[in-house]
Amino acid sequence: MRPFKFTRAENVNSAVKLLTSNPNARFLAGGTNLLDLMKEEVELPDELIDISRLGLTDIKALAKGGVTIGGLGKNTDAANHPLIRQNYPLLSQAILAGASGQLRNMATNGGNLLQRTRCSYFYETSMPCNKREPGSGCGALEGINRMHAIFGWSDQCVAVYPSDMSVALAALDAVVKVRSTTGQERTIAFADFHRLPGNTPEKDTNLNHGELITAIELPKNNFAPHSYYLKVRDRASYAFALVSVAAALELDNNRIKQARVALGGVANKPWRALKAELFLAGKEATEENFRKAAEAEMADARPLEHNKFKVELGSRSIVRALHMALNGGKS
């Protein structure tokens, strides 16, 4: 790890100003991803701005319904908070599926959204990677790409986004609240927060340099009784998803009033399965309709040489997650 300056922000406004004034500075909260990147010399900030003591940890109900989650609150606290467990069990399940208990105790909610890919070519600085070094090429495109994208990739980058929490937030139509570089607050719909690689794979999100995530808001919904987070991985714990599915249903008897489905492990951002959702709306909650919805979504998949299995795995995972959601998390 190379030398860097350490600065402790006194408040939110000073934190934003400090980061804005130095294009090579980074915020430091839990540090569970950033410090790894610095140790591997994937990222080389010359200044870290400590924001861990700014507050922004509250989880509370909103007057209009829904809940707000502090950007600097810990993942563990979010997963175990009564408001989340009772009203958004999908989010609780997704957070608890990620990392380890020790990491969840350190990792912040805002930082979780900003995780960078775990692509091995991104971490190996001797290999080409457009996300790490724009214009150098993508080693994974013709390399070992078993873990990589089947949706939304470009010839610039085929990496996938790792956060479990964000897959649930995508399904739940979350909104990210940000303190901007002008000192004002702006909101970003979760669907617009992360980016597909296109021609700028080095840009993971639509945050501007200097902006700080202050909170995540979840709208009120009726999905709690029928939601489920399914994570398929190579080992039972502390592993990133091959495919994950956040599934939620609002039912009128056995008819689906609305459905939410988001996938992880398949794209450079949480992949909202809009075709599956559209197919399911108004239909009976049956295994056959779940299968047809999955087929409709996976029809546009573009697998690489080593991850063709993800198409079938993704389809089966959607069906399984919807089945579990229908039964309130029971097999």
Side-chain angles (χ1 to χ4, degrees), residues 102-170:
Q102 294 91 334
L103 286 171
R104 293 193 297 269
N105 288 341
M106 287 293 297
T108 62
N109 301 318
N112 191 299
L113 273 57
L114 299 176
Q115 289 184 71
R116 305 213 69 190
T117 183
R118 267 42 176 213
C119 172
S120 57
Y121 295 91
F122 175 69
Y123 270 82
E124 178 49 70
T125 56
S126 66
M127 297 298 294
C129 173
N130 288 318
K131 188 176 285 293
R132 174 173 28 84
E133 185 180 351
S136 64
C138 174
L141 187 61
E142 300 295 335
I144 305 300
N145 45 43
R146 175 177 179 269
M147 297 293 292
H148 291 71
I150 59 173
F151 290 110
W153 56 268
S154 72
D155 59 3
Q156 298 292 303
C157 181
V158 296
V160 296
Y161 172 71
S163 168
D164 292 289
M165 179 180 184
S166 290
V167 179
L169 291 173

Side-chain angles (χ1 to χ4, degrees), residues 164-185:
D164 292 289
M165 179 180 184
S166 290
V167 179
L169 291 173
L172 293 169
D173 295 311
V175 171
V176 183
K177 301 191 75 173
V178 173
R179 183 65 60 89
S180 75
T181 55
T182 63
Q184 303 298 311
E185 193 167 67

Side-chain angles (χ1 to χ4, degrees), residues 249 251 253-256 280 283-290 326:
L249 300 169
L251 301 175
N253 293 319
N254 197 49
R255 186 169 295 277
I256 301 169
L280 290 169
K283 292 187 172 63
E284 294 291 316
T286 65
E287 194 86 4
E288 181 181 3
N289 282 331
F290 294 164
L326 175 64

Side-chain angles (χ1 to χ4, degrees), residues 195-213:
R195 298 167 58 102
L196 293 175
N199 293 319
T200 54
E202 71 278 10
K203 296 181 180 180
D204 293 334
T205 73
N206 284 311
L207 283 181
N208 298 314
H209 182 74
E211 292 186 318
L212 173 66
I213 297 172

